[in-house]
Amino acid sequence: MKQKKQIFISIVFIGILLICHNLVIGQDSLDITHGPYLLEPGENSITVVWFTSKKCVSWVEYGTGENLQSFPTYGSVVQTAVSSRHGLIDAYTNAHKIRIDGLESGQKYRYRLFSKEIVQFKPYEVTFGGSIASGVYQFETLDTKKAAFSFGVVTDIHGSSARLDTLLQTFSWNGIDMMFYAGDCLDWFEDEKQIFEGFLDVSVDRFAKEIPLIYVRGNHETRGNFARNLMDYFPHSSGRFYYSFDHGPVHFIILDSGEDKPDSHAVYAGLVDFDRYRDEQAAWLKEDIQSESFKKALYKVVFSHMPPDEDSRGYGEQYLGKVWTPILNEADIDLLLCGHKHRFSRIEPIEGKNKYPILILGRDMIIKADVSQERISGVITRSNGDVLDRFSILPKNK
Ligand SMILES: [Fe+2]
C-alpha cells in the first residue's frame, strides 16, 4: 500500500514538473521553420533569410576555407554578420534577414545560422532562452570577371509547389549560379503561408540555401491584402522590385511589369497606381542603360513578367510596349525573358517593333542558360524532360 502511495506521489510530482516546464519554457521547441534562402547576390554581399518558431535575435557565421566544414570547431577565421538599423540589432522577431557585406568577389563561402530566443524583452531586462544553429551551407559571390556560368528560369508557378518540385527535381544544377522566378509564383497574396507552401519551402529544399533566388514580381503577386508585404520576404537593398546587377559577361535588368488591367478597373478598387510606376521604371531604365556596367557588359538580359507588346489586347502589355520597348530597342539588349502567358513562345526580332529576341516561358517548363564569352546557349525543358526549344545568343560586338 505504502509503495503504491509513493508511486502515486512520484507521478503527481513529475506531472507538476512537466506543467511548470511547459509554463516556463513553452510547449513548442525553437526551430528554423522556413529557409534559409539566399537573395540579392552581389560581388561583395549577399542576403540570407530564415524564419524561426519563436522570437529571436539572430546572426550568421561565415568564412572561407575547408576548415568551415568542421563547424563549430573552425578556429578564428569565421566572421559574424547581424542585421542592425538605426543602431539597433534586429531582435524579438520570427523573421531574420541578414545582409552580409564586405565579401570578396567570386569567392566561395560557407555559412551557418544562429538564432537565440528572447523570452522576455523589457527595458534593461532581456531574458534569453535557448539557441538553435543550422547546418553548414555555402554560397558564392558574383564576379564580373567570371568567364562562364549558368542560370535557370521558371515562371508562373501559381502556388503549385508539387509542379515546381517536379521541375526542380529533374533540373541539372551543375554550374547554376542563380535561379530566376519570373513572376506569378502565387495566384494572390493573403498570408505568408501561401509563400512558404506555394513555392518557397520546396525551393529551399532544392536549391535556395546555396543558390540565390532572383524574384521577378508578377501581376498576381500584387493582388490580395498581403501583397504590400511581399518585400518582407524578398527584400532588396534598393527597396525596389526593379534593379540591375552584373555577373560574368551579363548585365541583368529586372523590371516589375505591374498589373494587366487599367489602374481604373473596378477589380482594383482604386488601390493601384501602375501606370505611374511603369513610367518611373522607364526613367530608371534610361539611366541604367547609360551606366558603365551596362555599356561594358557583353550581354544585356532583361526580365519582365509581362511581355511589353504595343499590339497586345492586354492593357498592361500595351502600356509596356509604349514606354519600355523604345528604351530596350535603343539599349540594343540581347534578350528579353518573360512569363505570364502560360504558353511558350519565341519571338524573333521584328522590324519596327522589337530589335531583340523575346522568350516567353510557359508553365511546367524550365530554362537552363549557359553563358560564355562565345554565346548564351539555352535549352527549354518540360517537366517530363522533353526538350521544347533551344536558343543561342551571340555577342553583338564580337
Ligand atoms: Fe501573369
Side-chain angles (χ1 to χ4, degrees):
M1 187 65 191
K2 193 179 175 186
Q3 201 176 15
K4 277 186 180 173
K5 195 178 175 185
Q6 277 177 339
I7 291 169
F8 177 75
I9 290 168
S10 297
I11 289 170
V12 169
F13 182 68
I14 289 167
I16 290 169
L17 275 179
L18 283 172
I19 289 166
C20 290
H21 177 269
N22 286 341
L23 283 175
V24 174
I25 304 298
Q27 289 189 349
D28 305 320
S29 57
L30 172 60
D31 298 307
I32 294 171
T33 49
H34 306 282
Y37 51 98
L38 299 169
L39 300 174
E40 200 188 344
E43 284 208 284
N44 308 113
S45 50
I46 199 160
T47 300
V48 187
V49 183
W50 73 100
F51 296 81
T52 48
S53 57
K54 295 188 171 189
K55 291 188 172 175
C56 290
V57 59
S58 292
W59 62 97
V60 177
E61 289 190 351
Y62 64 97
T64 58
E66 290 306 306
N67 56 339
L68 291 172
Q69 287 199 2
S70 57
F71 266 59
T73 54
Y74 33 71
S76 59
V77 293
V78 168
Q79 292 176 276
T80 300
V82 296
S83 179
S84 73
R85 288 170 292 172
H86 322 297
L88 296 174
I89 291 174
D90 290 350
Y92 206 51
T93 175
N94 300 78
H96 314 284
K97 293 163 263 188
I98 294 185
R99 182 108 183 118
I100 308 172
D101 291 312
L103 304 174
E104 287 175 41
S105 67
Q107 177 71 54
K108 198 171 276 181
Y109 289 85
R110 296 184 190 281
Y111 75 100
R112 190 181 199 192
L113 321 170
F114 290 84
S115 291
K116 187 196 278 188
E117 186 189 357
I118 297 179
V119 180
Q120 181 177 260
F121 198 5
K122 290 183 175 175
Y124 280 18
E125 196 181 337
V126 177
T127 310
F128 292 104
S131 295
I132 191 167
S134 72
V136 179
Y137 309 113
Q138 64 179 40
F139 63 78
E140 195 171 326
T141 47
L142 302 188
D143 182 5
T144 52
K145 295 183 184 68
K146 192 170 186 179
F149 72 97
S150 302
F151 66 88
V153 189
V154 295
T155 191
D156 293 271
I157 298 156
H158 285 276
S160 302
S161 62
R163 289 162 73 164
L164 172 64
D165 198 35
T166 304
L167 278 172
L168 300 179
Q169 197 174 0
T170 53
F171 191 56
S172 163
W173 292 96
N174 190 28
I176 293 286
D177 281 358
M178 61 195 71
M179 173 60 83
F180 292 84
Y181 280 7
D184 286 4
C185 285
L186 296 169
D187 287 333
W188 58 81
F189 195 19
E190 290 182 311
D191 63 53
E192 69 172 21
K193 212 168 95 173
Q194 288 175 287
I195 287 190
F196 298 133
E197 293 178 2
F199 67 95
L200 194 53
D201 287 346
V202 158
S203 308
V204 168
D205 287 345
R206 293 286 173 200
F207 71 90
K209 289 186 187 89
E210 301 202 328
I211 297 171
L213 169 58
I214 313 292
Y215 198 97
V216 182
R217 192 167 74 149
N219 56 313
H220 278 261
E221 281 108 355
T222 69
R223 298 175 186 174
N225 58 18
F226 211 57
R228 284 148 186 82
N229 300 66
L230 190 64
M231 188 66 79
D232 293 343
Y233 301 86
F234 301 98
H236 192 274
S237 55
S238 68
R240 304 186 309 252
F241 287 111
Y242 62 91
Y243 51 84
S244 63
F245 66 95
D246 299 271
H247 185 44
V250 184
H251 183 78
F252 289 104
I253 295 178
I254 310 298
L255 295 171
D256 184 4
S257 53
E259 261 291 13
D260 55 356
K261 301 170 198 60
D263 289 346
S264 57
H265 198 287
V267 292
Y268 304 136
L271 298 176
V272 302
D273 188 18
F274 284 114
D275 285 353
R276 196 191 56 76
Y277 181 54
R278 287 181 278 241
D279 292 346
E280 172 189 307
Q281 290 178 71
W284 170 84
L285 188 56
K286 281 179 187 169
E287 282 178 24
D288 191 74
I289 64 173
Q290 294 304 322
S291 67
E292 273 309 299
S293 58
F294 181 91
K295 285 177 182 170
K296 72 180 183 194
L298 195 56
Y299 308 101
K300 289 93 174 174
V301 174
V302 179
F303 281 84
S304 167
H305 173 69
M306 293 197 298
D309 180 2
E310 214 174 340
D311 300 324
S312 168
R313 285 188 298 174
Y315 173 85
E317 291 165 50
Q318 264 180 39
Y319 196 97
L320 298 173
K322 283 177 196 152
V323 300
W324 289 1
T325 302
I327 306 169
L328 297 175
N329 278 335
E330 183 199 328
D332 204 16
I333 65 164
D334 297 278
L335 178 64
L336 175 61
L337 282 158
C338 305
H340 186 59
K341 301 288 200 182
H342 293 200
R343 277 190 307 178
F344 176 73
S345 59
R346 172 177 172 156
I347 302 163
E348 297 298 342
I350 299 168
E351 183 72 33
K353 206 172 171 189
N354 51 296
K355 283 172 66 180
Y356 44 84
I358 304 170
L359 282 179
I360 301 175
L361 191 63
R363 293 192 77 176
D364 299 319
M365 53 188 78
I366 191 163
I367 294 178
K368 183 173 188 190
D370 301 319
V371 179
S372 71
Q373 300 294 313
E374 288 71 41
R375 63 181 60 80
I376 301 178
S377 301
V379 57
I380 296 117
T381 309
R382 291 187 189 278
S383 297
N384 62 6
D386 289 350
V387 172
L388 180 65
D389 199 7
R390 293 177 191 276
F391 64 92
S392 184
I393 311 272
L394 300 176
K396 292 197 174 84
N397 53 353
K398 262 201 166 181

